[in-house]
Amino acid sequence: DFEIWGAQVEQQSYATSYIPTSGTTVTRNQETCTDATPEINSEEGVLYAEISALADSTTQRYITLSDGTSANDVRLYLSSGGHISVLSKVGGITQVYLQSNAYPQTDFNKVAFKYKENDFALWINGTEVDTDTSGLVNAPNTLNELAFDGNGLKFFGNTKDLQVYTKALSDAELIKLTT
Protein backbone atom coordinates (compact mmCIF):
# COMPACT_ATOMS: atom_id res chain seq x y z
CA ASP A 1 0.00 0.00 0.00
CA PHE A 2 1.06 3.58 -0.60
CA GLU A 3 -0.59 6.96 -0.31
CA ILE A 4 -0.11 10.01 -2.55
CA TRP A 5 -1.31 13.44 -1.51
CA GLY A 6 -1.09 16.75 -3.35
CA ALA A 7 -0.15 15.35 -6.75
CA GLN A 8 -1.30 17.05 -9.93
CA VAL A 9 -1.60 15.37 -13.32
CA GLU A 10 -1.14 17.54 -16.41
CA GLN A 11 -2.86 17.02 -19.75
CA GLN A 12 -0.59 19.49 -21.54
CA SER A 13 3.13 19.27 -22.22
CA TYR A 14 3.73 22.13 -19.74
CA ALA A 15 3.05 22.64 -16.07
CA THR A 16 0.15 24.76 -14.84
CA SER A 17 -0.78 26.01 -11.40
CA TYR A 18 -3.30 24.38 -9.09
CA ILE A 19 -6.82 25.81 -9.31
CA PRO A 20 -9.00 24.76 -6.36
CA THR A 21 -12.49 24.19 -7.79
CA SER A 22 -14.22 22.45 -4.86
CA GLY A 23 -15.85 20.00 -7.26
CA THR A 24 -17.15 22.63 -9.73
CA THR A 25 -16.28 23.02 -13.41
CA VAL A 26 -14.70 26.44 -12.81
CA THR A 27 -11.43 26.96 -14.65
CA ARG A 28 -9.04 29.84 -15.10
CA ASN A 29 -9.75 31.93 -18.19
CA GLN A 30 -6.70 34.17 -18.19
CA GLU A 31 -4.12 35.64 -15.84
CA THR A 32 -4.08 39.34 -15.11
CA CYS A 33 -1.70 41.62 -13.32
CA THR A 34 -3.20 44.60 -11.54
CA ASP A 35 -1.86 47.33 -9.27
CA ALA A 36 1.70 46.74 -10.45
CA THR A 37 3.65 49.96 -10.82
CA PRO A 38 7.03 49.25 -12.36
CA GLU A 39 9.82 51.78 -12.28
CA ILE A 40 10.17 52.93 -15.88
CA ASN A 41 12.80 55.23 -17.32
CA SER A 42 11.35 57.04 -20.34
CA GLU A 43 14.77 58.13 -21.62
CA GLU A 44 16.55 54.78 -21.73
CA GLY A 45 16.11 51.19 -20.70
CA VAL A 46 15.34 47.66 -21.79
CA LEU A 47 11.98 45.93 -22.11
CA TYR A 48 12.62 42.18 -21.77
CA ALA A 49 10.22 39.25 -22.06
CA GLU A 50 10.45 35.51 -22.45
CA ILE A 51 7.26 34.83 -24.37
CA SER A 52 5.41 32.56 -26.77
CA ALA A 53 2.07 32.75 -28.54
CA LEU A 54 -0.73 30.33 -27.70
CA ALA A 55 -1.12 29.53 -31.40
CA ASP A 56 0.28 30.69 -34.73
CA SER A 57 -2.00 33.30 -36.24
CA THR A 58 -1.96 36.65 -37.98
CA THR A 59 -3.02 38.41 -34.77
CA GLN A 60 -0.47 40.82 -33.31
CA ARG A 61 0.23 40.45 -29.57
CA TYR A 62 1.58 43.52 -27.72
CA ILE A 63 3.47 44.27 -24.51
CA THR A 64 3.92 48.02 -24.03
CA LEU A 65 5.42 50.69 -21.84
CA SER A 66 3.39 53.87 -22.33
CA ASP A 67 1.70 56.92 -20.89
CA GLY A 68 -1.64 55.17 -21.39
CA THR A 69 -1.86 56.18 -25.05
CA SER A 70 -0.33 54.84 -28.25
CA ALA A 71 1.26 58.25 -28.96
CA ASN A 72 4.12 57.76 -26.47
CA ASP A 73 5.22 54.18 -26.03
CA VAL A 74 7.77 51.41 -26.32
CA ARG A 75 6.28 48.24 -27.83
CA LEU A 76 7.42 44.66 -28.09
CA TYR A 77 5.15 42.39 -30.06
CA LEU A 78 4.67 39.19 -31.97
CA SER A 79 3.54 40.21 -35.43
CA SER A 80 2.12 38.39 -38.41
CA GLY A 81 4.35 36.06 -40.36
CA GLY A 82 6.21 34.93 -37.23
CA HIS A 83 8.15 38.15 -36.87
CA ILE A 84 9.11 39.65 -33.54
CA SER A 85 8.92 43.43 -33.73
CA VAL A 86 9.65 46.44 -31.55
CA LEU A 87 8.60 50.04 -31.96
CA SER A 88 9.04 53.33 -30.14
CA LYS A 89 6.84 56.40 -30.57
CA VAL A 90 7.29 59.95 -29.29
CA GLY A 91 4.41 62.38 -29.72
CA GLY A 92 2.68 60.04 -32.14
CA ILE A 93 5.72 59.83 -34.44
CA THR A 94 7.50 56.50 -34.89
CA GLN A 95 11.14 56.95 -33.92
CA VAL A 96 12.27 53.38 -34.47
CA TYR A 97 10.81 50.16 -35.85
CA LEU A 98 12.88 46.98 -35.73
CA GLN A 99 11.81 43.53 -36.91
CA SER A 100 13.26 40.04 -36.83
CA ASN A 101 13.19 37.28 -39.37
CA ALA A 102 10.47 34.73 -38.71
CA TYR A 103 10.57 32.77 -35.44
CA PRO A 104 8.16 30.00 -34.46
CA GLN A 105 5.68 32.01 -32.36
CA THR A 106 4.60 29.05 -30.26
CA ASP A 107 8.22 28.53 -29.13
CA PHE A 108 9.48 30.52 -26.15
CA ASN A 109 11.84 33.30 -27.25
CA LYS A 110 13.88 35.59 -25.03
CA VAL A 111 13.39 39.09 -26.46
CA ALA A 112 14.97 42.37 -25.35
CA PHE A 113 14.40 45.84 -26.76
CA LYS A 114 17.07 48.36 -25.78
CA TYR A 115 16.01 51.98 -26.18
CA LYS A 116 18.20 55.03 -25.73
CA GLU A 117 18.45 58.18 -27.84
CA ASN A 118 20.20 57.21 -31.11
CA ASP A 119 20.84 53.69 -29.76
CA PHE A 120 18.11 51.09 -30.31
CA ALA A 121 18.55 47.31 -30.58
CA LEU A 122 16.43 44.18 -30.80
CA TRP A 123 17.96 41.07 -29.20
CA ILE A 124 16.46 37.58 -29.52
CA ASN A 125 17.84 34.39 -27.99
CA GLY A 126 21.35 35.78 -27.48
CA THR A 127 21.68 37.49 -30.86
CA GLU A 128 21.37 41.13 -31.84
CA VAL A 129 19.01 40.90 -34.83
CA ASP A 130 18.40 44.56 -35.71
CA THR A 131 19.61 48.03 -34.69
CA ASP A 132 18.95 51.70 -35.37
CA THR A 133 21.31 54.55 -34.46
CA SER A 134 18.89 57.40 -35.06
CA GLY A 135 15.83 58.34 -33.06
CA LEU A 136 14.44 60.26 -30.12
CA VAL A 137 13.13 58.92 -26.83
CA ASN A 138 10.33 60.13 -24.60
CA ALA A 139 10.80 62.97 -22.12
CA PRO A 140 11.47 62.08 -18.47
CA ASN A 141 8.52 60.58 -16.58
CA THR A 142 6.41 60.12 -19.72
CA LEU A 143 6.22 56.33 -19.66
CA ASN A 144 4.40 55.18 -16.53
CA GLU A 145 2.35 52.14 -17.52
CA LEU A 146 3.20 48.53 -18.36
CA ALA A 147 0.42 46.73 -20.23
CA PHE A 148 -0.22 43.50 -22.07
CA ASP A 149 -1.80 45.33 -24.98
CA GLY A 150 -1.20 48.07 -27.51
CA ASN A 151 -3.40 49.66 -30.14
CA GLY A 152 -6.25 47.63 -28.62
CA LEU A 153 -4.44 44.36 -29.39
CA LYS A 154 -3.97 42.28 -26.26
CA PHE A 155 -1.13 39.89 -25.60
CA PHE A 156 -2.66 36.43 -25.47
CA GLY A 157 0.27 34.10 -24.94
CA ASN A 158 2.63 32.57 -22.43
CA THR A 159 5.01 34.70 -20.37
CA LYS A 160 7.81 33.07 -18.40
CA ASP A 161 9.59 36.31 -17.55
CA LEU A 162 9.00 40.03 -17.95
CA GLN A 163 11.44 42.71 -16.83
CA VAL A 164 11.84 46.45 -17.27
CA TYR A 165 15.38 47.79 -16.87
CA THR A 166 15.82 51.49 -16.11
CA LYS A 167 19.17 51.72 -17.92
CA ALA A 168 20.20 50.60 -21.38
CA LEU A 169 22.23 47.39 -20.95
CA SER A 170 25.55 46.70 -22.66
CA ASP A 171 25.85 44.17 -25.47
CA ALA A 172 27.48 41.68 -23.07
CA GLU A 173 24.60 42.10 -20.62
CA LEU A 174 22.02 41.69 -23.40
CA ILE A 175 23.73 38.51 -24.63
CA LYS A 176 23.63 37.09 -21.10
CA LEU A 177 20.00 38.17 -20.55
CA THR A 178 18.65 36.69 -23.78
CA THR A 179 20.72 33.49 -23.94
Side-chain angles (χ1 to χ4, degrees), residues 83-104:
H83 299 283
I84 298 172
S85 304
V86 292
L87 176 90
S88 179
K89 280 190 173 184
V90 176
I93 299 169
T94 300
Q95 298 297 313
V96 63
Y97 171 76
L98 305 174
Q99 186 178 57
S100 72
N101 291 325
Y103 283 81

Side-chain angles (χ1 to χ4, degrees), residues 150-165:
N151 285 350
L153 300 170
K154 297 194 178 292
F155 182 85
F156 288 110
N158 300 302
T159 306
K160 282 188 179 180
D161 194 3
L162 178 66
Q163 299 180 48
V164 178
Y165 291 85

Side-chain angles (χ1 to χ4, degrees), residues 104-176:
Q105 290 197 3
T106 55
D107 291 352
F108 273 98
N109 292 291
K110 295 180 178 184
V111 183
F113 178 32
K114 175 180 73 170
Y115 59 95
K116 184 178 179 180
E117 188 164 332
N118 299 322
D119 186 9
F120 301 89
L122 171 60
W123 287 78
I124 304 172
N125 300 330
T127 303
E128 185 178 59
V129 298
D130 202 0
T131 63
D132 193 333
T133 57
S134 176
L136 301 174
V137 293
N138 284 284
N141 304 314
T142 301
L143 305 179
N144 57 13
E145 181 179 294
L146 169 66
F148 283 85
D149 69 21
N151 285 350
L153 300 170
K154 297 194 178 292
F155 182 85
F156 288 110
N158 300 302
T159 306
K160 282 188 179 180
D161 194 3
L162 178 66
Q163 299 180 48
V164 178
Y165 291 85
T166 58
K167 296 289 181 191
L169 301 178
S170 69
D171 287 356
E173 291 168 323
L174 288 162
I175 290 169
K176 187 175 180 180

Side-chain angles (χ1 to χ4, degrees), residues 53-66:
L54 295 176
D56 282 323
S57 75
T58 58
T59 304
Q60 295 182 340
R61 299 162 183 90
Y62 283 82
I63 299 173
T64 60
L65 302 175
S66 74

